[in-house]
Amino acid sequence: MYVAAKGGEEAIQQAEKLYHHLNGEVTREQVEAIRDHLPYLVDRVMGEASLYAPDLAALAIAQSGGDLYEAVLLLRAYRSTQPRIAYAAPVTPDELLTVRRISASFKDIPGGQILGPTLDYSHRVLKMDVLDTLNPPTSLQNGHYHEASEETGLTPADRPAPRAYPAVADWQRAQGLMAASPKHESVDPADIPDVTSDTVLFPAPREHRLQALARADTGGVLALGYASMRGYGLIHPTVNELRLGYAEIMAKHPVTGAQFSAGRARVSQAEVVTSDGSKAGLSIGFAATLGWNEVKIIAASTLDLEMNQPEPHPAHTEEFVMYHTEPVESSGFCIHFKLPHYVTFASSVDNIRKVIATFYSSESKLQPERAEAQS
Amino acid sequence: MNRLAALAAPRQDYSYAFLDAYAKRELRRRTLKAIAIPGYQVPYASRELPIARGWGTGGLQVTLSLVGPESIVKVIDQGADDSVNAANLRRFIARMSGAQTTTDALKATIIQSRHRIPEEILREYQALVLQVPDPEPLRAVESNSSRAHEMHAEADYGQMWLVLYEQLVRYKQYIQGASYPSLVNGRYVISPSPIPRWDTPKLHQSAHLTLLSAGREKRLYAVPPYTDVYPLEFDDIPFQVEDQRGWVCAITGVKNKFMNEIPQPDGTSTYELSDTGYMEKVAPADATRTEPPGATYYDEQGNFYHDGYLKPPIQPEL
Amino acid sequence: MSAHPPYTTSEARSRETFLALMWALSYPGRTPTLPDNADPFALIGDTLLDLETSFYTPDAQIRARLAQTGARLLEPKRAAYHFYAELDDSALATIATANIGTLSYPDQAATLIIHARFRSDSALTLTGPGINGSTSIQIDGIPASFWTMRERAAFPLGWDVFFVNDKSVLGLPRSTKVTLE
């Protein structure tokens, strides 16, 4: 029973047990398999949760049976119990250990177009032989990195790739096609607005906007971004630069003061540009997130550009985008409609009965002011 | 002797009452401002909790910032203590704070509620924490929250009155259901949360403190004790509570309290008290544990305890 | 069921101080008790201040103590929490510049914490939210000009005040109307 006179507590415990019975218990091996074999899924959850923790993200995915909104909530709820113990040094694109960097703006760019790991040009054909129990393919062992070899089919490059690549926008700025970067002043990291602990007010500081896009729901950002791209937007975005790479997270030791690396995080960033014909040249939209998630950052950087327009479509205002792409809030509110609402419903029924008594009872000669539709 | 483990504090997964010290301080600072400015929606950060957003996380954060081991907590949903979500929230609060729990509205020091205010008159130094899905009473006339915020700043409520006027023109009566917009301390219009109209007058000149918190929308507001709260109404057409005259609780025989209507297979309805804590006192399941009910906001004849506050209904002329 | 996380001494003091402040502001004129044997400024500082907020006090000793909370010391017109051991002329001049909030964000107004002695004699009559009808109090050491200055900001603007003595607190939200007898 849904609202039992005495059974509520017992009912919710049994319901949770039933879930585990149906879906099985989570094991360490499963979590490791998710972490190693589903890196893009783990990345997506870490990005939306704003917590870089592959093991915990994999655990959240396993524990929620792959329900991504549940997984993100699990990770976020954990995150909110963790104190901030230090501020990492800023990560700049030209220091990123870049594995993939492409630009749609030019045929070739300084440093070169680097395709890197991608399925972009693969044929989307299901490899049925994987399911063939008699002749399992040999190349699929585990998700760890394979050395370039005959077995993986990878050909080693003639020379090692450069450690870093210049930004495409730097060339455009030098050409006068784009306004110069704002003067880079060092800021106290404690002064940087933080969307996870500040109250969000509009117009939002740029930091809040970029942080909100970084942790936004991938599907939500895509839906709104796609609406802009498809024609409701005021801009035509060109992908100026898309990068996937590893960011070295540098922090200062709290006691010795020495800089040290706290590890590397997979990150992605995108930059789209458009021109409104003004003297300033190209204007730029930017987004970055934890993990590799290309769809999200292309859509998000388009939205960033769109939100800067003077009179954007109502679905592309900063308030609209930031509120409605929040994965935990939107999914939580959506499923809250499962909760009983019979008190509010009773209040509405009371009004319906009064209106019926007023206009539609046998004694009433009144008609509602606005006639019902003719159909 | 001097082992590292001996120097380190024992592993602690969570802070007391789950929220860390920063989150508690922030909520407490905001709560004080909310009390100082009755009805004003104070923005706050709103942490993620291990409960889905939209399931009472706003109320829960406020409760967690108030609760201590000596607290006595009551949690209700739709008036029921044993509703599954109320049971879940109560279990979480008790697990994180060691607080006692109760179903008795008069014994509780903190009452967290979704959609109801108990029938018994709450007393001084009780905190009623209402979960709020949408704190913005202007949402229906202005969906942009920044613009709605400015309307509150300017006390620009003309559009709210227009909506009520249109209802009167079209339907001869107000057709706002729950969350009836109400003016607090003569200045701010609030959503009293989706409580039925039956409960809205209970906020007026109450002895207890009411804190309203929307976790998803990140807004917190208060109705302090002994503060004027008036539902929006025109002088000649009074605000009316739900008309449940003649409804009798099938379990207790009580009348003139808010009832759940239970549809029957034969097309009729039966009724039962929505407030299960009150029902327990009127008709205790365990006859040895009788606790007489306290005074109620509406007496047995349905009269509200502040004389003259509710005006008799005016039936539209047929 | 596993034991709840520990209710530490500092947790308890902060919570009890907060509850005293909350009830003081909810029932203006009443004087809830603060936790024992502690400097009320330190208690309130530890309860409300951290690196996310700011304070001002003219008193060097109090300043040193409040700085331990991590809160930033700011000039009076920008500081969120003001602490005064006494209301002399210079303190009054400072309070005159304190933030009263804006119509858009009245919650950004300053909170003043002032050391005072109060009794239930009738010198001031209070009415407004939190007061059942009216109530009378006497607060010693508050110059009349303080009340005049307070009157200048019309609700919802204005600062909120906590008067503290060694063991209790009296709250005066901006919503309270004060009449001098």
Side-chain angles (χ1 to χ4, degrees):
Chain A
M1 202 168 144
Y2 192 46
V3 183
K6 279 281 158 228
E9 209 118 344
E10 176 68 10
I12 54 181
Q13 284 167 18
Q14 288 297 321
E16 193 173 332
K17 282 178 187 158
L18 186 59
Y19 173 92
H20 292 303
H21 177 73
L22 191 65
N23 296 295
E25 290 305 322
V26 172
T27 64
R28 189 191 177 88
E29 289 69 34
Q30 269 174 32
V31 174
E32 286 169 355
I34 291 169
R35 182 196 62 200
D36 296 339
H37 295 282
L38 303 173
Y40 291 90
L41 187 66
V42 170
D43 276 5
R44 179 166 168 173
V45 169
M46 292 192 298
E48 295 182 11
S50 7
L51 183 73
Y52 199 86
D55 288 318
L56 297 182
L59 175 61
I61 292 165
Q63 203 178 311
S64 59
D67 179 332
L68 292 193
Y69 289 112
E70 278 295 328
V72 170
L73 173 60
L74 272 170
L75 212 51
R76 287 247 190 123
Y78 173 78
R79 182 190 186 279
S80 68
T81 66
Q82 298 302 301
R84 172 163 284 149
I85 54 171
Y87 294 96
V91 173
T92 59
D94 50 354
E95 288 168 359
L96 213 56
L97 302 171
T98 304
V99 299
R100 169 161 162 79
R101 194 282 295 257
I102 52 172
S103 171
S105 308
F106 301 98
K107 181 166 189 289
D108 204 359
I109 43 177
Q113 305 263 19
I114 310 297
L115 271 183
T118 179
L119 287 176
D120 277 356
Y121 304 99
S122 70
H123 294 154
R124 271 66 166 200
V125 178
L126 280 173
K127 294 178 178 168
M128 297 295 189
D129 55 346
V130 174
L131 300 179
D132 189 336
T133 48
L134 292 178
N135 304 299
T138 50
S139 64
L140 259 150
Q141 291 155 350
N142 59 49
H144 293 296
Y145 302 109
H146 301 271
E147 290 299 316
S149 67
E150 266 181 44
E151 197 187 325
T152 59
L154 272 174
T155 312
D158 297 338
R159 53 196 159 82
R163 191 178 185 282
Y165 297 84
V168 174
D170 285 348
W171 182 87
Q172 290 158 324
R173 288 196 176 98
Q175 290 282 319
L177 295 171
M178 194 184 280
S181 288
K183 194 102 178 105
H184 199 274
E185 284 168 28
S186 73
V187 285
D188 182 348
D191 286 339
I192 298 174
D194 178 355
V195 80
T196 68
S197 63
D198 303 340
T199 302
V200 177
L201 304 171
F202 297 99
R206 181 146 182 82
E207 291 87 347
H208 280 176
R209 181 199 285 192
L210 293 179
Q211 291 158 3
L213 289 173
R215 67 197 323 240
D217 178 36
T218 303
V221 164
L222 175 62
L224 295 182
Y226 176 54
S228 159
M229 297 164 183
R230 198 179 148 267
Y232 286 90
L234 305 167
I235 51 158
H236 181 282
T238 302
V239 175
N240 208 42
E241 187 170 295
L242 172 74
R243 277 184 195 240
L244 303 185
Y246 296 88
E248 194 85 52
I249 308 300
M250 299 300 291
K252 200 185 265 181
H253 193 280
V255 178
T256 67
Q259 286 276 337
F260 70 99
S261 169
R264 285 178 184 174
R266 279 155 61 115
V267 294
S268 33
Q269 64 164 76
E271 210 173 75
V272 297
V273 292
T274 193
S275 168
D276 58 4
S278 71
K279 185 168 164 247
L282 296 163
S283 46
I284 198 162
F286 179 81
T289 190
L290 292 175
W292 292 352
N293 190 338
E294 297 184 16
V295 158
K296 174 165 160 176
I297 54 167
I298 294 170
S301 54
T302 304
L303 286 171
D304 178 45
L305 200 51
E306 194 68 57
M307 287 186 262
N308 285 336
Q309 302 301 306
E311 289 283 327
H313 184 274
H316 296 137
T317 65
E318 195 174 53
E319 181 181 323
F320 194 98
V321 171
M322 283 174 64
Y323 273 134
H324 299 116
T325 60
E326 212 328 296
V328 166
E329 277 151 23
S330 57
S331 64
F333 194 58
C334 177
I335 60 173
H336 114 281
F337 286 102
K338 292 184 284 189
L339 290 177
H341 281 78
Y342 54 77
V343 168
T344 44
F345 185 73
S347 195
S348 310
V349 168
D350 175 73
N351 284 323
I352 295 169
R353 287 191 171 129
K354 280 193 296 190
V355 169
I356 290 173
T358 306
F359 297 110
Y360 304 106
S361 67
S362 50
E363 310 94 274
S364 176
K365 296 179 185 65
L366 286 173
Q367 286 295 311
E369 194 67 12
R370 192 195 283 173
E372 301 292 321
Q374 287 302 303
S375 63
Chain B
M1 277 287 144
N2 278 333
R3 298 183 55 177
L4 190 58
L7 296 171
R11 177 191 152 90
Q12 195 59 58
D13 285 340
Y14 299 105
S15 299
Y16 180 77
F18 188 81
L19 299 173
D20 65 47
Y22 285 86
K24 283 202 198 86
R25 273 192 294 264
E26 198 239 359
L27 275 160
R28 289 169 176 171
R29 290 194 296 265
R30 310 289 187 198
T31 301
L32 295 178
K33 285 298 171 195
I35 294 168
I37 319 168
Y40 170 74
Q41 298 170 44
V42 181
Y44 73 105
S46 193
R47 265 46 172 199
E48 268 114 359
L49 299 178
I51 302 284
R53 271 284 207 256
W55 293 56
T57 55
L60 189 56
Q61 288 179 79
V62 169
T63 296
L64 294 174
S65 77
L66 298 178
V67 75
E70 86 295 350
S71 299
I72 305 172
V73 179
K74 173 179 167 79
V75 184
I76 49 175
D77 188 334
Q78 316 292 299
D81 294 275
D82 229 33
S83 174
V84 283
N85 201 43
N88 192 34
L89 294 172
R90 184 171 49 240
R91 190 173 63 145
F92 183 72
I93 296 163
R95 182 170 141 197
M96 288 291 161
S97 70
Q100 293 178 61
T101 61
T102 185
T103 58
D104 184 340
L106 300 184
K107 286 213 178 100
T109 55
I110 303 169
I111 301 173
Q112 179 170 332
S113 170
R114 175 170 176 265
H115 297 190
R116 277 306 317 273
I117 297 177
E119 299 291 353
E120 291 167 285
I121 300 172
L122 300 181
R123 56 175 164 72
E124 289 189 344
Y125 299 104
Q126 281 184 300
L128 171 67
V129 180
L130 289 174
Q131 301 169 201
V132 181
D134 184 356
E136 186 47 78
L138 301 173
R139 188 82 72 210
V141 296
E142 178 52 73
S143 53
N144 180 303
S145 66
S146 312
R147 280 202 288 270
H149 188 91
E150 287 311 303
M151 288 163 73
H152 285 291
E154 292 159 13
D156 172 9
Y157 297 125
Q159 290 193 59
M160 293 298 286
W161 288 104
L162 192 60
V163 166
L164 290 180
Y165 177 75
E166 283 175 353
Q167 290 177 4
L168 291 180
V169 167
R170 201 178 292 177
Y171 301 109
K172 312 286 177 197
Q173 52 215 321
Y174 307 121
I175 53 151
Q176 173 76 33
S179 329
Y180 195 97
S182 304
L183 188 66
V184 176
N185 190 33
R187 178 57 179 79
Y188 288 104
V189 169
I190 63 159
S191 159
S193 87
I195 53 174
R197 301 192 298 285
W198 180 265
D199 289 345
T200 309
K202 299 174 183 174
L203 294 170
H204 174 74
Q205 290 291 331
S206 67
H208 71 275
L209 166 68
T210 306
L211 297 168
L212 301 103
S213 177
R216 199 173 38 78
E217 296 285 339
K218 307 180 178 63
R219 296 289 185 276
L220 163 61
Y221 50 111
V223 177
Y226 306 116
T227 299
D228 283 347
V229 178
Y230 288 104
L232 296 188
E233 59 183 346
F234 291 102
D235 289 342
D236 48 344
I237 312 275
F239 159 86
Q240 288 175 43
V241 302
E242 288 79 2
D243 186 359
Q244 299 190 340
R245 287 172 291 177
W247 292 16
V248 181
C249 172
I251 299 164
T252 62
V254 165
K255 281 186 279 194
N256 289 308
K257 302 289 175 284
F258 196 80
M259 301 284 174
N260 298 326
E261 181 176 8
I262 318 288
Q264 298 299 305
D266 65 2
T268 61
S269 297
T270 62
Y271 308 99
E272 63 180 41
L273 282 170
S274 150
D275 183 341
T276 58
Y278 180 69
M279 175 156 25
E280 176 72 8
K281 286 182 175 178
V282 180
D286 176 357
T288 61
R289 293 184 52 203
T290 51
E291 188 78 43
T296 50
Y297 289 102
Y298 294 87
D299 68 15
E300 287 173 24
Q301 283 70 47
N303 300 308
F304 188 61
Y305 82 131
H306 287 314
D307 278 346
Y309 180 84
L310 285 176
K311 298 171 197 86
I314 295 174
Q315 296 297 335
E317 287 173 29
L318 301 180
Chain C
M1 186 177 291
S2 55
H4 62 82
Y7 189 55
T8 61
T9 315
S10 69
E11 190 77 51
R13 289 166 78 81
S14 282
R15 175 172 167 267
E16 284 160 21
T17 304
F18 165 67
L19 290 180
L21 297 175
M22 182 179 87
W23 292 125
L25 214 54
S26 298
Y27 298 104
R30 301 189 198 180
T31 52
T33 310
L34 290 166
D36 281 341
N37 302 323
D39 165 29
F41 286 173
L43 279 176
I44 295 176
D46 289 341
T47 301
L48 298 181
L49 301 189
D50 57 34
L51 48 84
E52 288 175 4
T53 185
S54 59
F55 73 99
Y56 169 79
T57 178
D59 186 309
Q61 211 177 336
I62 305 170
R63 190 181 303 164
R65 176 61 184 81
L66 295 177
Q68 293 173 16
T69 64
R72 284 168 298 166
L73 176 72
L74 289 184
E75 55 176 324
K77 71 176 180 200
R78 291 174 59 216
Y81 294 86
H82 291 223
F83 294 79
Y84 298 98
E86 59 174 335
L87 283 194
D88 54 16
D89 287 348
S90 93
L92 288 170
T94 307
I95 291 172
T97 68
N99 190 353
I100 58 166
T102 61
L103 285 177
S104 288
Y105 295 104
D107 55 314
Q108 287 170 358
T111 302
L112 314 182
I113 297 106
I114 301 170
H115 200 276
R117 275 168 296 134
F118 32 84
R119 293 175 273 151
S120 56
D121 302 0
S122 58
L124 303 171
T125 302
L126 312 182
T127 54
I131 301 159
N132 192 3
S134 71
T135 187
S136 292
I137 50 157
Q138 179 165 343
I139 309 174
D140 292 346
I142 308 299
S145 57
F146 176 83
W147 301 114
T148 324
M149 203 152 64
R150 183 178 178 275
E151 282 277 294
R152 260 180 244 148
F155 186 86
L157 304 185
W159 10 264
D160 308 305
V161 188
F162 290 109
F163 293 107
V164 292
N165 64 22
D166 289 336
K167 54 181 196 303
S168 53
V169 55
L170 187 148
L172 210 58
R174 66 192 80 178
S175 58
T176 304
K177 184 163 170 47
V178 177
T179 318
L180 281 71
E181 287 180 0

